[in-house]
Each structure stands twice: as structure tokens, then as C-alpha cells.
Amino acid sequence: MRATAQGHIIQLDGIRFIAIALVLIDHLFVAVNVIPFGALGVTIFFVLSGFLISRILLKSKEKTFGTPGGFKKYLRKFLIRRTIRIFPVYYLTIFLLYIFNVPPVRDKLAWLALYGTNIYMAFNKTWMGSVDHLWSLAVEEQVYLFFPFLIFFIPKRKLVPVLGMMGILSLAFRFVYFFMRKDFTSDDWIVTYVSTPACLDSFALGGLMAWMQLYKNDFFIKLFNKSWPVLIGLLVWVLLQFWAKTFENKSNFAFVVLDRTVSSAFGFFLIGRAVMGYNGLMAAFLENPVSIYLGKISYGLYLYHNFVYNHFHSGPTHPTVRLFNKIYQYIPDLRGSVTFEALVVIALTIAAASISWHFFEKPINAIKDKYAN
């Protein structure tokens, strides 16, 4: 395992970069892209989050379980660290969107403030405009509400069966909901995509990975010491996409029911191998300073990208749209170039995320790290 003295696993920043790149490719090339790269990127984030959070909680449990006030210390430390890392920049963003009256923030403020956007979407079977992407942050926060209790109170030897059952129930939720609907539509798919129960197989696999690393390390090394399982996982995902395209209905069994589980399995091996440490070209890519930096600011990249520009919701008065129109006045041949627009949006998003990281998130994270020590 290639890690810093503080225990930070270096190549996981590169994995974060891959995940956010998949999301950006999907959203910025939505007019021409037919492959669900964004769904894959979000799923990789979920598996990675499940691994890191479970690893933190399991280590904390080892130190506090059975001690006076142990659970209180364990829970307080976790919640404070998560709050410091996630809440400030999220609520600052919501505040600014409210001030500038970006739709639909004022109308849906309570859902946004309470991390309930995915619940709103599932109940109403609809998206939420420029704040669509915040559904995945809502899922993560909802998982954080019960995962600490799951890790602390379930005995170590019983945690794997519980995680396995959680994964099976998540797959079953999508399966049952799919076959309950006589004519399954894209609106129904929203329910099976953004609902927290429909995402738990990703977190369960991440939790399983953390458990294996801490308690079955020999098996963990044997499982993730080679790269061929990653390639097989990728191949299975590619084959699933080909199968999904053979259906007339885009919201089909392969895509609705199986895609997240297959994506999670691929993410499982992709991340596990990175924990051990890739070699060769993959190591050079993941440990490249650019990959590491973009991985570190991936939270900001994800949070801001839809506000910098959204293909469906950025109207003619949006600053980025006005910038494009200004450029087209001088270079009209660029008008209609999806690649040019994507590159501009990526540059603007990186700029916004970098400013946020250096002047807001990083100083606040120092408080988190100080508390952790």
C-alpha cells in the first residue's frame, strides 16, 4: 500500500479524479453521449466512500468499544469530522444560489438544506434543474446517519453477512420495483437511481473491502494484488452496456436493475487495486500531480460543475452562456462545438473548485485534521 505518513492512500486521489472525470464527460457531452459514464462515476464515488468511512469507523471502534463513554466519543468524532469536511462548502453554495435566486433553490430550500433532494426526486419522479446532481450528496449523508450505528453495534464477525444482506436487498429493491411497474418509464427509473435503498450495494461493497483490509489482510492482498480482476470488471461493465442497448426501452432490466451492481463490482476491484498500489502506466497516471490535485478538489468539481454550466438549464443570461456568445462574436466557427464548450466549462469549473479548495475548504479541513489528531 502506497500511503503518506498520515495514512493517506495516494492512488485513491487518482481514483477520485477518474470518478469526477466520468461525471463531467457525461454531463458536458450529454448532447452526443449515449454511455452512462456519469452513473459509473457516481457509483465509484459511493464504493470509495463506503470503503473510507467504514475503515475510519472500524478503526475508531477498536479504540473506543468497551471504554467508558466509548460510543459517544466514537460518534461525536465521526460526526464532527464529516460535518467540518462537507457542510461548510455545501451550505455556502446553497446560500449563494439562494441570494442570486438560481432556480429552484428558493422553492426547494428545505429539501436542499436537509439533504433530501433524492427523496423529493423519488417521490415526485422528477429532476430538480441545476441542483439535480446534489441527489448523490443527499444519499451519502443519509448513509452517514446509520452506518456508524451499524459498524459499532454489529459484532465484527457478523458484519460481513449484514453487509451482504444490505447489498442483496438493494439489488432486490431495484428488481422488485422494476417488475412492479407494468410500463417502466424513465420517470420510474429516477426512483431506482436516486433512492438511498437502491444505492446500498455500492456502500456495502466498500464496507466489505474495509473489513477485509483490517481483519483479513492476507486475503485482501491476494484478492487485490493483481490487475486482471479490474480488467474483467471493466469488460463485464462494457458487455452490460452493449446488452442494455439491445432493448428498445432505455430504462430496461440491464440498465435499471443490474448496472449499479456491476458498476459497484468494477469499482470494488478498481479501488482495491489502488489501495494495494498499481504499477506501470496506471501508477504513473494515478500518482501524476495533476491527477492527485484534481482528485483532491473533486468535491468542489462535483458540487460546482452544474452551476458553472448545465446543458439543459443554463439560460441565455447565464454568465457562461454570455461568455460563449461573446467568444462566438469574434470566432463564429466555434459556435456549436461541443468539445470547445466542454473545455471552457472544465477550465471554469477547475478554477472555481481551486479557489474553493485553497481559500475555503483546505483551511477548514485543517480544523478537521487537528480534531482527528
Side-chain angles (χ1 to χ4, degrees):
M1 183 174 72
R2 300 176 186 178
T4 65
Q6 293 75 33
H8 182 79
I9 303 171
I10 296 170
Q11 292 190 4
L12 291 187
D13 282 327
I15 297 296
R16 289 186 181 93
F17 168 56
I18 290 174
I20 189 60
L22 290 169
V23 172
L24 290 176
I25 289 170
D26 190 292
H27 289 183
L28 295 177
F29 292 93
V30 67
V32 295
N33 177 53
V34 295
I35 304 172
F37 290 121
L40 176 61
V42 169
T43 298
I44 291 172
F45 271 126
F46 283 166
V47 177
L48 180 58
S49 181
F51 167 69
L52 293 174
I53 294 305
S54 298
R55 189 166 173 259
I56 289 169
L57 290 171
L58 286 167
K59 286 184 174 182
S60 182
K61 177 183 176 179
E62 293 288 340
K63 296 177 181 178
T64 58
F65 191 82
T67 64
F71 176 69
K72 184 178 179 180
K73 295 176 185 175
Y74 158 93
L75 187 62
R76 184 179 63 225
K77 183 174 182 177
F78 173 76
L79 292 179
I80 290 177
R81 293 182 84 251
R82 287 292 87 197
T83 297
I84 292 172
R85 174 66 187 102
I86 294 171
F87 283 10
V89 67
Y90 177 83
Y91 284 115
L92 175 63
T93 301
I94 299 303
F95 174 74
L96 292 175
L97 294 172
Y98 182 90
I99 292 297
F100 290 104
N101 196 21
V102 176
V105 173
R106 292 189 178 181
D107 291 337
K108 304 295 186 292
L109 184 61
W111 294 100
L112 290 161
L114 296 174
Y115 280 93
T117 50
N118 67 321
I119 298 173
Y120 177 89
M121 292 176 185
F123 270 100
N124 294 281
K125 297 184 180 180
T126 185
W127 296 103
M128 293 180 68
S130 61
V131 296
D132 282 345
H133 62 304
L134 300 183
W135 73 267
S136 65
L137 302 182
V139 168
E140 296 228 12
E141 286 303 312
Q142 290 158 25
V143 169
Y144 295 162
L145 291 178
F146 72 88
F147 238 60
F149 296 88
L150 187 80
I151 297 293
F152 193 86
F153 290 110
I154 293 180
K156 181 171 62 177
R157 65 184 182 279
K158 294 183 178 179
L159 184 59
V160 171
V162 171
L163 290 172
M165 184 59 64
M166 190 169 77
I168 291 170
L169 290 175
S170 183
L171 178 63
F173 173 83
R174 299 194 301 270
F175 181 90
V176 171
Y177 194 88
F178 180 80
F179 284 103
M180 279 178 58
R181 316 299 297 181
K182 185 176 180 181
D183 297 310
F184 196 91
T185 67
S186 58
D187 290 340
D188 295 312
W189 168 73
I190 293 175
V191 180
T192 62
Y193 185 61
V194 307
S195 301
T196 296
C199 304
L200 292 181
D201 42 355
S202 304
F203 291 95
L205 278 173
L208 174 63
M209 194 190 316
W211 186 91
M212 287 192 301
Q213 190 200 20
L214 293 177
Y215 304 122
K216 296 290 181 182
N217 192 247
D218 289 343
F219 180 73
F220 182 92
I221 293 171
K222 187 180 296 185
L223 183 63
F224 296 116
N225 207 32
K226 302 293 182 182
S227 296
W228 62 263
V230 183
L231 297 176
I232 291 178
L234 178 60
L235 176 61
V236 173
W237 181 82
V238 170
L239 292 175
L240 181 71
Q241 304 315 311
F242 276 107
W243 182 32
K245 299 304 179 187
T246 65
F247 292 87
E248 183 177 347
N249 184 2
K250 181 182 177 181
S251 299
N252 54 71
F253 176 78
F255 181 59
V256 173
V257 179
L258 299 180
D259 183 75
R260 179 161 278 137
T261 298
V262 172
S263 298
S264 298
F266 168 59
F268 176 79
F269 288 107
L270 178 74
I271 294 164
R273 183 72 182 103
V275 173
M276 288 299 303
Y278 286 93
N279 300 310
L281 289 176
M282 190 64 170
F285 174 79
L286 293 177
E287 296 181 19
N288 182 281
V290 175
S291 298
I292 290 175
Y293 177 73
L294 293 176
K296 283 183 178 179
I297 66 170
S298 59
Y299 180 41
L301 292 172
Y302 185 82
L303 186 59
Y304 302 135
H305 79 277
N306 240 19
F307 308 124
V308 172
Y309 178 75
N310 182 286
H311 177 77
F312 297 106
H313 305 294
S314 295
T317 61
H318 190 282
T320 304
V321 176
R322 293 168 65 183
L323 174 63
F324 285 144
N325 290 333
K326 198 72 173 177
I327 293 172
Y328 299 149
Q329 288 180 8
Y330 296 97
I331 316 176
D333 289 344
L334 289 175
R335 186 179 293 275
S337 172
V338 177
T339 302
F340 169 73
E341 291 187 357
L343 289 174
V344 172
V345 173
I346 289 171
L348 293 173
T349 304
I350 291 173
S354 296
I355 292 170
S356 174
W357 171 256
H358 289 288
F359 295 101
F360 192 70
E361 296 173 68
K362 192 175 180 180
I364 292 176
N365 280 350
I367 300 173
K368 171 181 72 73
D369 295 338
K370 182 179 180 180
Y371 180 84
N373 292 330

